[in-house]
Amino acid sequence: MRQVAAREQLVQTLKPVLMDDANPCPLVSSTEEEHQTEVRNSMTSTTTDSDTAASNSTSPWRSPTIQIVLATTLLAPLGVPLISPTLPAFRDAFGITDAQASLLISTYFLVGIVLSPFIGMLADRIGRRTVLIASLVVFSLSGGAIAFVPSYEVVLALRLIGGTAAAGIFITTVTLIGDSFEGTQRNRVLGMNNAVLSAGAALFPIVGGALATVSWNVPYFVYLAGLPLSLYAVRHLEEPKHVRDSQGIAYLRRAVRVLSGTDALVLYGAACMTELLLFGAVVTILPFLLAGDFGMSALSIGIVLAFSEVASVVVSAKNGWFARYLSNYGLIAVGFACYAIGLFGAWLAPTPATITLAMVVFGVGLGLSMPAVDAAISDLVSAGLRGGALSLRNSTTFLGRAAGPVLFASIAATTGYYPLFVASAVVASAVALFVLSMGLFGTHRVTHTEEADVNVR
Protein backbone atom coordinates (compact mmCIF):
# COMPACT_ATOMS: atom_id res chain seq x y z
CA MET A 1 0.00 0.00 0.00
CA ARG A 2 2.88 2.38 0.82
CA GLN A 3 4.48 1.71 -2.54
CA VAL A 4 1.28 2.60 -4.37
CA ALA A 5 0.89 5.82 -2.34
CA ALA A 6 4.51 6.85 -2.95
CA ARG A 7 4.11 6.15 -6.64
CA GLU A 8 1.02 8.31 -6.87
CA GLN A 9 2.76 11.18 -5.04
CA LEU A 10 5.72 11.00 -7.46
CA VAL A 11 3.42 11.05 -10.48
CA GLN A 12 1.54 14.09 -9.17
CA THR A 13 4.83 15.91 -8.49
CA LEU A 14 6.27 15.28 -11.94
CA LYS A 15 3.04 15.73 -13.86
CA PRO A 16 3.57 19.44 -14.72
CA VAL A 17 7.12 18.68 -15.87
CA LEU A 18 6.07 15.75 -18.00
CA MET A 19 3.46 17.81 -19.91
CA ASP A 20 4.57 18.80 -23.41
CA ASP A 21 4.11 22.56 -23.97
CA ALA A 22 3.02 22.10 -27.56
CA ASN A 23 0.74 19.23 -26.83
CA PRO A 24 -0.61 19.37 -23.29
CA CYS A 25 -1.33 15.69 -23.12
CA PRO A 26 0.14 13.83 -20.16
CA LEU A 27 3.12 11.64 -20.92
CA VAL A 28 1.96 9.29 -18.15
CA SER A 29 -0.35 6.92 -20.01
CA SER A 30 -4.00 6.43 -19.13
CA THR A 31 -3.29 2.71 -19.09
CA GLU A 32 -0.82 3.26 -16.26
CA GLU A 33 -3.37 5.29 -14.30
CA GLU A 34 -6.02 2.61 -14.87
CA HIS A 35 -3.59 0.00 -13.56
CA GLN A 36 -3.09 2.03 -10.40
CA THR A 37 -6.83 2.36 -9.96
CA GLU A 38 -7.31 -1.39 -10.34
CA VAL A 39 -4.64 -2.04 -7.71
CA ARG A 40 -6.32 0.35 -5.27
CA ASN A 41 -9.76 -1.16 -5.91
CA SER A 42 -8.38 -4.66 -5.47
CA MET A 43 -6.80 -3.77 -2.16
CA THR A 44 -9.97 -2.01 -1.00
CA SER A 45 -12.08 -5.01 -2.00
CA THR A 46 -9.73 -7.34 -0.13
CA THR A 47 -10.00 -5.17 2.97
CA THR A 48 -13.81 -5.12 2.74
CA ASP A 49 -14.00 -8.88 2.30
CA SER A 50 -11.72 -9.33 5.31
CA ASP A 51 -13.94 -7.05 7.39
CA THR A 52 -17.03 -9.01 6.33
CA ALA A 53 -15.36 -12.31 7.16
CA ALA A 54 -14.32 -10.98 10.55
CA SER A 55 -17.84 -9.77 11.19
CA ASN A 56 -19.30 -13.16 10.28
CA SER A 57 -16.80 -14.93 12.52
CA THR A 58 -17.96 -13.05 15.62
CA SER A 59 -20.94 -14.22 17.65
CA PRO A 60 -24.17 -13.19 15.89
CA TRP A 61 -26.18 -13.25 19.12
CA ARG A 62 -24.65 -9.95 20.33
CA SER A 63 -26.07 -8.01 17.41
CA PRO A 64 -29.06 -5.81 18.40
CA THR A 65 -30.56 -6.50 14.98
CA ILE A 66 -30.47 -10.28 15.46
CA GLN A 67 -31.80 -9.91 19.01
CA ILE A 68 -34.78 -7.90 17.74
CA VAL A 69 -35.31 -10.38 14.90
CA LEU A 70 -35.40 -13.31 17.33
CA ALA A 71 -37.71 -11.48 19.74
CA THR A 72 -40.08 -10.65 16.89
CA THR A 73 -39.97 -14.23 15.66
CA LEU A 74 -40.91 -15.38 19.15
CA LEU A 75 -44.17 -13.42 18.86
CA ALA A 76 -45.02 -14.72 15.38
CA PRO A 77 -46.65 -17.95 16.72
CA LEU A 78 -49.31 -15.79 18.35
CA GLY A 79 -51.00 -15.96 14.95
CA VAL A 80 -51.93 -19.65 14.97
CA PRO A 81 -50.36 -21.85 17.71
CA LEU A 82 -51.88 -19.59 20.39
CA ILE A 83 -55.28 -19.87 18.70
CA SER A 84 -55.32 -23.51 17.56
CA PRO A 85 -56.23 -25.07 20.96
CA THR A 86 -59.06 -22.54 21.32
CA LEU A 87 -60.86 -23.61 18.12
CA PRO A 88 -63.39 -25.87 19.91
CA ALA A 89 -64.18 -23.07 22.40
CA PHE A 90 -64.45 -20.54 19.57
CA ARG A 91 -66.76 -22.89 17.66
CA ASP A 92 -69.02 -23.38 20.67
CA ALA A 93 -69.08 -19.67 21.56
CA PHE A 94 -70.40 -18.69 18.12
CA GLY A 95 -72.42 -21.85 17.40
CA ILE A 96 -70.61 -22.59 14.13
CA THR A 97 -69.25 -25.71 12.38
CA ASP A 98 -65.72 -27.09 12.41
CA ALA A 99 -65.14 -25.77 8.88
CA GLN A 100 -66.32 -22.29 9.86
CA ALA A 101 -64.10 -22.32 12.94
CA SER A 102 -61.12 -23.33 10.77
CA LEU A 103 -61.56 -20.05 8.85
CA LEU A 104 -60.05 -18.39 11.90
CA ILE A 105 -56.76 -19.87 10.71
CA SER A 106 -57.28 -19.77 6.93
CA THR A 107 -58.28 -16.09 6.75
CA TYR A 108 -55.16 -15.20 8.69
CA PHE A 109 -53.04 -16.25 5.70
CA LEU A 110 -55.38 -15.37 2.83
CA VAL A 111 -54.27 -11.82 2.04
CA GLY A 112 -50.62 -12.61 2.66
CA ILE A 113 -50.65 -15.05 -0.26
CA VAL A 114 -51.26 -12.19 -2.70
CA LEU A 115 -49.52 -9.32 -0.91
CA SER A 116 -46.31 -11.05 0.18
CA PRO A 117 -44.42 -10.36 -3.10
CA PHE A 118 -45.30 -6.67 -2.84
CA ILE A 119 -44.25 -6.58 0.81
CA GLY A 120 -40.94 -8.16 -0.23
CA MET A 121 -40.52 -5.57 -2.97
CA LEU A 122 -41.24 -2.85 -0.42
CA ALA A 123 -38.62 -4.28 1.93
CA ASP A 124 -36.04 -4.25 -0.87
CA ARG A 125 -36.91 -0.67 -1.84
CA ILE A 126 -37.53 1.25 1.42
CA GLY A 127 -35.66 -1.05 3.78
CA ARG A 128 -36.26 -4.05 6.03
CA ARG A 129 -36.34 -1.90 9.19
CA THR A 130 -39.34 0.24 8.20
CA VAL A 131 -41.41 -2.72 7.03
CA LEU A 132 -40.64 -4.80 10.12
CA ILE A 133 -41.54 -2.09 12.63
CA ALA A 134 -44.78 -1.16 10.84
CA SER A 135 -45.77 -4.83 10.54
CA LEU A 136 -45.11 -5.42 14.22
CA VAL A 137 -47.34 -2.51 15.28
CA VAL A 138 -50.25 -3.55 13.03
CA PHE A 139 -49.86 -7.19 14.08
CA SER A 140 -50.15 -6.29 17.77
CA LEU A 141 -53.08 -3.87 17.46
CA SER A 142 -55.19 -6.01 15.13
CA GLY A 143 -54.69 -9.09 17.30
CA GLY A 144 -55.41 -7.33 20.57
CA ALA A 145 -58.57 -5.75 19.13
CA ILE A 146 -60.17 -9.20 18.64
CA ALA A 147 -60.52 -9.52 22.41
CA PHE A 148 -63.15 -6.76 22.30
CA VAL A 149 -65.10 -7.90 19.22
CA PRO A 150 -68.32 -9.93 19.65
CA SER A 151 -68.99 -10.51 15.93
CA TYR A 152 -67.73 -13.55 14.02
CA GLU A 153 -67.43 -11.56 10.79
CA VAL A 154 -65.43 -8.75 12.40
CA VAL A 155 -63.09 -11.30 13.98
CA LEU A 156 -62.37 -12.70 10.52
CA ALA A 157 -61.76 -9.19 9.14
CA LEU A 158 -59.23 -8.46 11.89
CA ARG A 159 -57.56 -11.79 11.20
CA LEU A 160 -57.11 -10.72 7.58
CA ILE A 161 -55.37 -7.53 8.72
CA GLY A 162 -53.23 -9.37 11.24
CA GLY A 163 -52.24 -11.96 8.67
CA THR A 164 -51.04 -9.25 6.29
CA ALA A 165 -48.86 -7.78 9.04
CA ALA A 166 -47.59 -11.27 9.89
CA ALA A 167 -46.46 -11.64 6.27
CA GLY A 168 -44.30 -8.55 6.72
CA ILE A 169 -42.81 -10.01 9.89
CA PHE A 170 -41.99 -13.38 8.35
CA ILE A 171 -40.43 -11.82 5.25
CA THR A 172 -38.28 -9.18 6.93
CA THR A 173 -36.96 -11.31 9.79
CA VAL A 174 -35.68 -14.05 7.48
CA THR A 175 -34.39 -11.51 4.94
CA LEU A 176 -32.41 -9.67 7.63
CA ILE A 177 -30.69 -12.94 8.51
CA GLY A 178 -30.05 -13.74 4.87
CA ASP A 179 -28.47 -10.31 4.40
CA SER A 180 -26.15 -10.71 7.37
CA PHE A 181 -24.73 -14.24 7.01
CA GLU A 182 -23.58 -16.79 4.47
CA GLY A 183 -22.89 -20.53 4.26
CA THR A 184 -23.29 -22.74 7.31
CA GLN A 185 -23.38 -19.62 9.51
CA ARG A 186 -26.60 -18.65 7.70
CA ASN A 187 -28.00 -22.12 8.42
CA ARG A 188 -26.95 -21.68 12.03
CA VAL A 189 -28.77 -18.38 12.52
CA LEU A 190 -31.80 -19.43 10.45
CA GLY A 191 -31.90 -22.60 12.51
CA MET A 192 -31.91 -20.58 15.71
CA ASN A 193 -34.59 -18.33 14.27
CA ASN A 194 -36.71 -21.39 13.53
CA ALA A 195 -35.91 -22.74 16.99
CA VAL A 196 -37.25 -19.54 18.53
CA LEU A 197 -40.30 -19.78 16.27
CA SER A 198 -40.83 -23.36 17.38
CA ALA A 199 -40.29 -22.41 21.03
CA GLY A 200 -43.07 -19.86 20.74
CA ALA A 201 -45.19 -22.43 18.93
CA ALA A 202 -44.52 -24.85 21.80
CA LEU A 203 -45.30 -22.32 24.53
CA PHE A 204 -48.30 -20.52 23.10
CA PRO A 205 -50.59 -23.55 22.64
CA ILE A 206 -50.32 -24.12 26.38
CA VAL A 207 -50.87 -20.42 27.08
CA GLY A 208 -53.76 -20.27 24.63
CA GLY A 209 -55.36 -23.42 25.99
CA ALA A 210 -55.08 -22.20 29.58
CA LEU A 211 -56.46 -18.73 28.80
CA ALA A 212 -59.28 -20.20 26.71
CA THR A 213 -60.60 -21.94 29.81
CA VAL A 214 -61.54 -18.44 31.01
CA SER A 215 -63.05 -17.28 27.71
CA TRP A 216 -62.38 -17.78 24.00
CA ASN A 217 -61.19 -14.17 23.57
CA VAL A 218 -58.76 -13.88 26.50
CA PRO A 219 -55.74 -15.28 24.55
CA TYR A 220 -55.87 -12.30 22.18
CA PHE A 221 -54.66 -9.93 24.89
CA VAL A 222 -51.21 -11.54 24.52
CA TYR A 223 -50.83 -9.81 21.14
CA LEU A 224 -50.31 -6.47 22.88
CA ALA A 225 -46.85 -7.65 23.98
CA GLY A 226 -45.61 -6.65 20.53
CA LEU A 227 -46.07 -2.93 21.17
CA PRO A 228 -43.13 -2.42 23.58
CA LEU A 229 -40.95 -4.51 21.26
CA SER A 230 -41.80 -2.23 18.33
CA LEU A 231 -40.75 0.81 20.40
CA TYR A 232 -37.45 -0.88 21.23
CA ALA A 233 -36.93 -1.67 17.54
CA VAL A 234 -37.41 2.00 16.62
CA ARG A 235 -34.37 2.86 18.72
CA HIS A 236 -32.07 -0.10 18.13
CA LEU A 237 -32.89 -1.91 14.88
CA GLU A 238 -30.26 -1.30 12.20
CA GLU A 239 -30.86 -1.35 8.44
CA PRO A 240 -28.42 -3.74 6.71
CA LYS A 241 -26.39 -2.50 3.77
CA HIS A 242 -27.76 -3.80 0.49
CA VAL A 243 -28.42 -2.54 -3.01
CA ARG A 244 -31.95 -1.13 -3.09
CA ASP A 245 -34.04 -1.61 -6.17
CA SER A 246 -36.20 1.20 -7.57
CA GLN A 247 -37.77 -0.23 -10.72
CA GLY A 248 -41.18 -1.26 -9.39
CA ILE A 249 -42.96 -4.01 -11.27
CA ALA A 250 -39.86 -4.63 -13.40
CA TYR A 251 -38.21 -5.73 -10.17
CA LEU A 252 -40.87 -8.40 -9.64
CA ARG A 253 -40.45 -9.63 -13.20
CA ARG A 254 -36.71 -10.02 -12.66
CA ALA A 255 -37.27 -11.84 -9.40
CA VAL A 256 -39.72 -14.25 -11.01
CA ARG A 257 -37.38 -14.83 -13.94
CA VAL A 258 -34.39 -15.51 -11.74
CA LEU A 259 -36.47 -17.83 -9.54
CA SER A 260 -38.21 -19.75 -12.33
CA GLY A 261 -35.62 -22.55 -12.38
CA THR A 262 -36.30 -26.09 -11.21
CA ASP A 263 -34.47 -25.58 -7.91
CA ALA A 264 -36.59 -22.60 -6.91
CA LEU A 265 -39.83 -24.35 -7.86
CA VAL A 266 -38.89 -27.41 -5.82
CA LEU A 267 -37.96 -25.27 -2.80
CA TYR A 268 -41.19 -23.28 -2.97
CA GLY A 269 -43.17 -26.49 -3.40
CA ALA A 270 -41.49 -28.02 -0.35
CA ALA A 271 -42.28 -24.92 1.70
CA CYS A 272 -45.94 -25.01 0.63
CA MET A 273 -46.31 -28.74 1.31
CA THR A 274 -44.71 -28.42 4.75
CA GLU A 275 -47.27 -25.84 5.79
CA LEU A 276 -50.16 -27.73 4.16
CA LEU A 277 -49.37 -30.83 6.21
CA LEU A 278 -48.57 -28.91 9.38
CA PHE A 279 -51.60 -26.64 9.43
CA GLY A 280 -53.99 -29.14 7.86
CA ALA A 281 -53.19 -32.40 9.63
CA VAL A 282 -51.49 -31.27 12.84
CA VAL A 283 -52.73 -27.80 13.77
CA THR A 284 -56.36 -28.22 12.62
CA ILE A 285 -57.37 -31.90 12.48
CA LEU A 286 -55.36 -33.23 15.41
CA PRO A 287 -57.06 -30.96 18.02
CA PHE A 288 -60.51 -32.05 16.81
CA LEU A 289 -59.43 -35.71 16.90
CA LEU A 290 -57.98 -35.44 20.40
CA ALA A 291 -61.04 -33.60 21.68
CA GLY A 292 -63.58 -35.89 19.98
CA ASP A 293 -62.02 -39.35 20.34
CA PHE A 294 -60.11 -38.92 23.59
CA GLY A 295 -62.10 -36.16 25.35
CA MET A 296 -59.00 -34.03 25.88
CA SER A 297 -59.26 -30.43 27.07
CA ALA A 298 -57.83 -27.43 25.25
CA LEU A 299 -54.91 -27.34 27.69
CA SER A 300 -54.11 -31.02 27.13
CA ILE A 301 -54.27 -30.54 23.37
CA GLY A 302 -51.89 -27.62 23.70
CA ILE A 303 -49.42 -29.82 25.56
CA VAL A 304 -49.49 -32.45 22.79
CA LEU A 305 -48.77 -29.81 20.17
CA ALA A 306 -46.06 -28.35 22.39
CA PHE A 307 -44.07 -31.61 22.34
CA SER A 308 -43.83 -31.41 18.57
CA GLU A 309 -42.56 -27.85 18.76
CA VAL A 310 -40.02 -28.69 21.46
CA ALA A 311 -38.53 -31.30 19.14
CA SER A 312 -38.40 -28.68 16.40
CA VAL A 313 -36.63 -26.25 18.74
CA VAL A 314 -33.87 -28.71 19.59
CA VAL A 315 -33.22 -29.80 16.01
CA SER A 316 -33.52 -26.30 14.52
CA ALA A 317 -30.93 -24.96 16.94
CA LYS A 318 -28.47 -27.54 15.55
CA ASN A 319 -29.35 -27.00 11.89
CA GLY A 320 -25.99 -25.33 11.22
CA TRP A 321 -24.26 -28.48 12.53
CA PHE A 322 -26.37 -30.77 10.34
CA ALA A 323 -25.60 -28.50 7.34
CA ARG A 324 -21.92 -29.46 7.65
CA TYR A 325 -22.76 -33.04 6.70
CA LEU A 326 -25.88 -32.78 4.53
CA SER A 327 -26.79 -30.37 1.77
CA ASN A 328 -29.92 -28.28 2.12
CA TYR A 329 -31.66 -30.75 -0.21
CA GLY A 330 -30.60 -33.62 2.00
CA LEU A 331 -31.96 -31.88 5.10
CA ILE A 332 -35.28 -31.20 3.36
CA ALA A 333 -35.59 -34.82 2.20
CA VAL A 334 -34.92 -36.22 5.68
CA GLY A 335 -37.38 -33.68 7.09
CA PHE A 336 -40.18 -34.94 4.84
CA ALA A 337 -39.32 -38.53 5.76
CA CYS A 338 -39.88 -37.51 9.39
CA TYR A 339 -43.24 -35.99 8.41
CA ALA A 340 -44.25 -39.32 6.89
CA ILE A 341 -43.19 -41.31 9.95
CA GLY A 342 -45.01 -38.92 12.29
CA LEU A 343 -48.23 -38.94 10.29
CA PHE A 344 -48.22 -42.73 9.90
CA GLY A 345 -47.58 -42.93 13.63
CA ALA A 346 -50.59 -40.70 14.40
CA TRP A 347 -52.74 -43.04 12.29
CA LEU A 348 -51.50 -46.16 14.11
CA ALA A 349 -51.29 -44.66 17.63
CA PRO A 350 -53.92 -46.05 20.04
CA THR A 351 -53.39 -43.53 22.86
CA PRO A 352 -52.70 -39.80 23.28
CA ALA A 353 -49.21 -40.68 24.55
CA THR A 354 -48.26 -42.51 21.35
CA ILE A 355 -49.80 -39.73 19.25
CA THR A 356 -47.57 -37.29 21.16
CA LEU A 357 -44.53 -39.43 20.33
CA ALA A 358 -45.49 -39.39 16.65
CA MET A 359 -45.76 -35.60 16.75
CA VAL A 360 -42.26 -35.42 18.22
CA VAL A 361 -40.94 -37.13 15.08
CA PHE A 362 -42.94 -34.68 12.97
CA GLY A 363 -41.33 -31.83 14.90
CA VAL A 364 -37.86 -33.20 14.15
CA GLY A 365 -38.75 -32.95 10.47
CA LEU A 366 -39.72 -29.31 10.87
CA GLY A 367 -36.40 -28.51 12.51
CA LEU A 368 -34.48 -30.10 9.66
CA SER A 369 -36.39 -28.85 6.63
CA MET A 370 -37.66 -25.33 7.37
CA PRO A 371 -34.30 -23.57 7.96
CA ALA A 372 -32.81 -25.50 5.03
CA VAL A 373 -35.51 -24.21 2.66
CA ASP A 374 -34.86 -20.59 3.67
CA ALA A 375 -31.09 -21.04 3.42
CA ALA A 376 -31.35 -22.61 -0.03
CA ILE A 377 -33.61 -19.83 -1.32
CA SER A 378 -31.27 -17.18 0.12
CA ASP A 379 -28.40 -18.81 -1.77
CA LEU A 380 -30.21 -18.50 -5.09
CA VAL A 381 -30.15 -14.69 -5.26
CA SER A 382 -28.10 -11.67 -4.20
CA ALA A 383 -29.18 -9.22 -1.50
CA GLY A 384 -30.91 -6.91 -4.00
CA LEU A 385 -33.57 -9.53 -4.74
CA ARG A 386 -33.52 -11.47 -1.48
CA GLY A 387 -36.59 -9.77 -0.03
CA GLY A 388 -38.54 -10.60 -3.19
CA ALA A 389 -37.29 -14.19 -3.26
CA LEU A 390 -38.24 -14.83 0.36
CA SER A 391 -41.55 -13.02 -0.10
CA LEU A 392 -42.46 -15.52 -2.82
CA ARG A 393 -41.55 -18.27 -0.38
CA ASN A 394 -43.83 -16.58 2.13
CA SER A 395 -46.68 -16.59 -0.41
CA THR A 396 -46.28 -20.33 -0.92
CA THR A 397 -46.17 -21.02 2.81
CA PHE A 398 -49.21 -18.83 3.41
CA LEU A 399 -50.98 -20.70 0.62
CA GLY A 400 -50.30 -23.98 2.41
CA ARG A 401 -51.38 -22.54 5.74
CA ALA A 402 -54.59 -21.09 4.33
CA ALA A 403 -55.56 -24.11 2.25
CA GLY A 404 -54.61 -26.76 4.81
CA PRO A 405 -57.24 -26.11 7.50
CA VAL A 406 -60.17 -25.69 5.09
CA LEU A 407 -59.12 -28.57 2.83
CA PHE A 408 -58.49 -31.03 5.64
CA ALA A 409 -61.57 -30.04 7.66
CA SER A 410 -63.78 -30.35 4.58
CA ILE A 411 -62.41 -33.77 3.65
CA ALA A 412 -62.62 -34.97 7.26
CA ALA A 413 -66.36 -34.23 7.25
CA THR A 414 -66.69 -37.07 4.71
CA THR A 415 -63.82 -39.47 5.43
CA GLY A 416 -63.21 -38.96 9.13
CA TYR A 417 -59.92 -37.95 10.71
CA TYR A 418 -57.72 -41.05 10.47
CA PRO A 419 -57.70 -41.56 6.67
CA LEU A 420 -56.32 -38.03 6.30
CA PHE A 421 -53.23 -38.96 8.31
CA VAL A 422 -52.58 -41.95 6.04
CA ALA A 423 -52.97 -39.92 2.85
CA SER A 424 -50.76 -37.16 4.25
CA ALA A 425 -48.02 -39.65 5.13
CA VAL A 426 -48.05 -41.05 1.60
CA VAL A 427 -47.71 -37.56 0.11
CA ALA A 428 -44.85 -36.70 2.50
CA SER A 429 -43.02 -39.89 1.50
CA ALA A 430 -43.34 -39.04 -2.18
CA VAL A 431 -41.99 -35.52 -1.64
CA ALA A 432 -39.05 -36.90 0.37
CA LEU A 433 -38.07 -39.24 -2.47
CA PHE A 434 -38.38 -36.50 -5.09
CA VAL A 435 -36.29 -33.97 -3.15
CA LEU A 436 -33.71 -36.65 -2.45
CA SER A 437 -33.42 -37.36 -6.17
CA MET A 438 -32.92 -33.63 -6.80
CA GLY A 439 -30.05 -33.60 -4.33
CA LEU A 440 -28.43 -36.76 -5.73
CA PHE A 441 -28.65 -36.06 -9.44
CA GLY A 442 -28.43 -32.27 -9.31
CA THR A 443 -30.15 -29.64 -11.43
CA HIS A 444 -29.31 -26.34 -13.03
CA ARG A 445 -29.10 -23.67 -10.36
CA VAL A 446 -29.50 -19.95 -10.82
CA THR A 447 -26.29 -18.07 -10.10
CA HIS A 448 -25.68 -14.46 -9.18
CA THR A 449 -23.96 -14.03 -12.55
CA GLU A 450 -27.11 -15.14 -14.34
CA GLU A 451 -29.09 -12.76 -12.16
CA ALA A 452 -26.83 -9.93 -13.31
CA ASP A 453 -27.43 -10.95 -16.92
CA VAL A 454 -31.17 -10.80 -16.28
CA ASN A 455 -30.82 -7.33 -14.77
CA VAL A 456 -28.89 -6.09 -17.81
CA ARG A 457 -31.54 -7.33 -20.16
Side-chain angles (χ1 to χ4, degrees), residues 286-353:
L286 188 62
F288 288 130
L289 183 148
L290 294 174
D293 289 12
F294 298 97
M296 296 179 65
S297 66
L299 178 59
S300 300
I301 293 170
I303 292 174
V304 172
L305 297 178
F307 272 95
S308 176
E309 297 299 340
V310 168
S312 180
V313 169
V314 175
V315 177
S316 292
K318 300 295 292 182
N319 194 274
W321 183 84
F322 290 118
R324 298 177 185 175
Y325 305 98
L326 288 174
S327 68
N328 286 320
Y329 277 92
L331 292 174
I332 295 168
V334 175
F336 271 89
C338 291
Y339 298 163
I341 294 171
L343 293 168
F344 268 127
W347 170 58
L348 294 171
T351 65

Side-chain angles (χ1 to χ4, degrees), residues 106-119 163-164 167 391-403:
S106 295
T107 54
Y108 183 75
F109 301 113
L110 193 59
V111 178
I113 297 171
V114 178
L115 293 185
S116 284
F118 297 97
I119 296 173
T164 304
S391 70
L392 290 175
R393 189 273 298 164
N394 201 68
S395 288
T396 60
T397 57
F398 271 33
L399 177 62
R401 293 173 185 180

Side-chain angles (χ1 to χ4, degrees), residues 267-279 336 339 362 396-397 400 408 424 427-428 431:
L267 293 172
Y268 289 140
C272 182
M273 188 56 64
T274 291
E275 304 298 340
L276 188 75
L277 296 175
L278 173 61
F279 283 81
F336 271 89
Y339 298 163
F362 191 96
T396 60
T397 57
F408 277 65
S424 299
V427 171
V431 174

Side-chain angles (χ1 to χ4, degrees), residues 354-409:
T354 48
I355 289 177
T356 302
L357 181 61
M359 290 301 99
V360 168
V361 178
F362 191 96
V364 170
L366 294 175
L368 291 171
S369 65
M370 293 178 71
V373 167
D374 287 336
I377 293 174
S378 295
D379 287 341
L380 290 179
V381 296
S382 62
L385 288 178
R386 188 166 290 129
L390 290 169
S391 70
L392 290 175
R393 189 273 298 164
N394 201 68
S395 288
T396 60
T397 57
F398 271 33
L399 177 62
R401 293 173 185 180
V406 174
L407 177 64
F408 277 65

Side-chain angles (χ1 to χ4, degrees), residues 48-332:
T48 302
D49 293 342
S50 299
D51 292 342
T52 302
S55 176
N56 285 339
S57 66
T58 59
S59 174
W61 319 124
R62 298 180 181 179
S63 165
T65 296
I66 297 303
Q67 292 170 0
I68 292 170
V69 164
L70 295 180
T72 304
T73 298
L74 181 62
L75 295 181
L78 292 176
V80 174
L82 179 77
I83 306 305
S84 179
T86 73
L87 287 178
F90 179 75
R91 174 195 61 194
D92 297 340
F94 286 93
I96 54 179
T97 65
D98 287 357
Q100 288 175 308
S102 70
L103 289 176
L104 198 64
I105 295 175
S106 295
T107 54
Y108 183 75
F109 301 113
L110 193 59
V111 178
I113 297 171
V114 178
L115 293 185
S116 284
F118 297 97
I119 296 173
M121 180 179 68
L122 199 63
D124 279 338
R125 292 185 65 184
I126 70 173
R128 288 62 156 124
R129 179 181 183 275
T130 302
V131 175
L132 178 57
I133 293 173
S135 298
L136 189 57
V137 172
V138 175
F139 177 79
S140 302
L141 293 177
S142 62
I146 294 178
F148 305 97
V149 174
S151 168
Y152 171 71
E153 292 75 16
V154 176
V155 168
L156 294 185
L158 287 171
R159 291 287 286 175
L160 284 171
I161 297 172
T164 304
I169 289 174
F170 282 112
I171 292 167
T172 51
T173 51
V174 176
T175 303
L176 282 165
I177 295 173
D179 289 340
S180 304
F181 303 97
E182 295 181 353
T184 57
Q185 181 80 314
R186 179 181 287 163
N187 280 79
R188 180 189 178 196
V189 182
L190 283 171
M192 182 58 68
N193 188 66
N194 192 68
V196 170
L197 182 68
S198 298
L203 172 65
F204 290 135
I206 300 175
V207 174
L211 294 177
T213 59
V214 179
S215 177
W216 72 268
N217 62 339
V218 173
Y220 291 94
F221 284 105
V222 182
Y223 276 83
L224 299 177
L227 292 178
L229 177 58
S230 64
L231 294 176
Y232 181 80
V234 169
R235 295 190 60 184
H236 299 284
L237 182 60
E238 300 174 355
E239 179 68 32
K241 294 180 181 179
H242 68 280
V243 178
R244 296 188 183 183
D245 191 279
S246 59
Q247 299 185 30
I249 299 302
Y251 158 90
L252 283 179
R253 287 199 297 266
R254 288 203 310 277
V256 170
R257 186 170 181 177
V258 170
L259 296 168
S260 61
T262 304
D263 285 78
L265 296 177
V266 169
L267 293 172
Y268 289 140
C272 182
M273 188 56 64
T274 291
E275 304 298 340
L276 188 75
L277 296 175
L278 173 61
F279 283 81
V282 178
V283 175
T284 301
I285 295 303
L286 188 62
F288 288 130
L289 183 148
L290 294 174
D293 289 12
F294 298 97
M296 296 179 65
S297 66
L299 178 59
S300 300
I301 293 170
I303 292 174
V304 172
L305 297 178
F307 272 95
S308 176
E309 297 299 340
V310 168
S312 180
V313 169
V314 175
V315 177
S316 292
K318 300 295 292 182
N319 194 274
W321 183 84
F322 290 118
R324 298 177 185 175
Y325 305 98
L326 288 174
S327 68
N328 286 320
Y329 277 92
L331 292 174
I332 295 168

